Structures are given as C-alpha cells and as structure tokens.
Amino acid sequence: MARADYSELSKTIAALTEGETDTVALMATVVCELHHADDRFDWTGFYRVTEPNLLKIGPYQGGHGCLVIPFDRGVCGAAAKTGEVQLVDDVDAFSGHIACATSTRAEIVLPVWNAKGELLGVLDIDSDQPAAFDANDSAALSAILNDVFGRL
Ligand code: SME
C-alpha cells in the first residue's frame, strides 16, 4: 500500500510550482500531486475563503464535494474558524461533520495561509480508513502548504 514520501513530494511540488503565483493553479497542482501519492487519500481538495466566514469548493480530486461550507459547519469550517489543523480519527464522532461521501471514516483539514497571514482556505483530505492520519501527516502537509502558499 502506497504511502506518501513527503520529502520527495515536497521537492516535486516545489519544482512544479516554481514562479507560479496564481492561487488556483497552485491549488490544482498540489491536490493532483498529493492525491495520487497515497492510498489513504480518497478525497483531496481545497475550499477557498471567498467572503467572510464562507468557504467555497476549489480544486479537488475524488468524488463530488459540496460547494459551500460556512465557517460554523463541518470539519472544514472548524479549521477555518480556529486556524488550527483538525485531525479527525472518526468522522461519526465529530459533531457537525458534513458527509460528502458515506465511505469517509477519517479526515485531516489544514488551514492555508499566505505571506500576509491571511487565510486563503483549507486543504481537506478524507480517507475511507479510520484513524488514517497522524501528527506526522499534519506536520509534513503544513510544511508543504507553507512552502507553496506562504510566499504569496
Ligand atoms: N467532510 C467535510 C466536508 C467536505 S467533504 O468531505 C469533501 C467537513 O465536514 O467539513
């Protein structure tokens, strides 16, 4: 079963995105590279802050994702509202979880910041495996997001 080699992924993403400053182009590239690198990643996508307290779907890979998530709903909303990574081992135990796919068992959602410290959106990765993600995923994914979006 394939697991992401975050060190390799980080180098590949840096090379592919060098010099690019368009947020959606960067999100599309990051999502594609991540999604195909790890068997745990069954849905991989960004939600973008498009107006105060509102997330809208951005580039993603996997099945249909809901289009709009207010900050006060779901795991994605919690990440956006608190600015903190949400590691959910069991989505059924997370009050307010939005089920886009009934197969989803675990999620990790990370805030995405630019250089000015503005919240651009969140990265949501869903897995059909329970407790799929841990602090290692959180640290490695946060570092990749900071490399790519922290220079905008
Ligand atoms: N499960 C997320 C919603 C997004 S989808 O799973 C693609 C949430 O509770 O925020």
Side-chain angles (χ1 to χ4, degrees):
M1 151 165 148
R3 282 281 178 127
D5 176 340
Y6 284 120
S7 160
E8 271 305 309
L9 257 180
S10 163
K11 283 185 212 150
T12 305
I13 289 170
L16 289 171
T17 60
E18 196 187 343
E20 182 56 67
T21 57
D22 180 84
T23 307
V24 172
L26 291 169
M27 288 178 171
T29 304
V30 169
V31 148
C32 179
E33 291 305 311
L34 290 177
H35 188 72
H36 298 287
D38 196 307
D39 288 341
R40 295 171 299 165
F41 300 0
D42 293 299
W43 193 94
T44 313
F46 285 92
Y47 281 90
R48 301 163 300 124
V49 179
T50 54
E51 55 187 273
N53 299 314
L54 196 75
L55 294 164
K56 278 210 180 167
I57 193 79
Y60 69 96
Q61 302 231 345
H64 169 83
C66 57
L67 275 68
V68 181
I69 302 180
F71 275 26
D72 59 6
R73 292 216 45 219
V75 186
C76 291
K81 193 160 66 178
T82 63
E84 284 169 14
V85 176
Q86 305 292 307
L87 254 178
V88 180
D89 287 345
D90 173 5
V91 294
D92 292 334
F94 188 98
S95 144
H97 168 253
I98 304 163
C100 288
T102 51
S103 54
T104 299
R105 298 268 57 89
E107 295 197 17
I108 183 169
V109 184
L110 304 104
V112 181
W113 312 95
N114 67 10
K116 293 177 216 150
E118 294 161 344
L119 186 71
L120 300 178
V122 300
L123 171 65
D124 177 7
I125 307 179
D126 299 349
S127 182
D128 294 351
Q129 303 168 31
F133 308 114
D134 61 19
N136 178 50
D137 297 298
S138 172
L141 291 165
S142 295
I144 288 172
L145 292 173
N146 188 50
D147 284 351
V148 175
F149 299 97
R151 57 184 160 81
L152 295 182

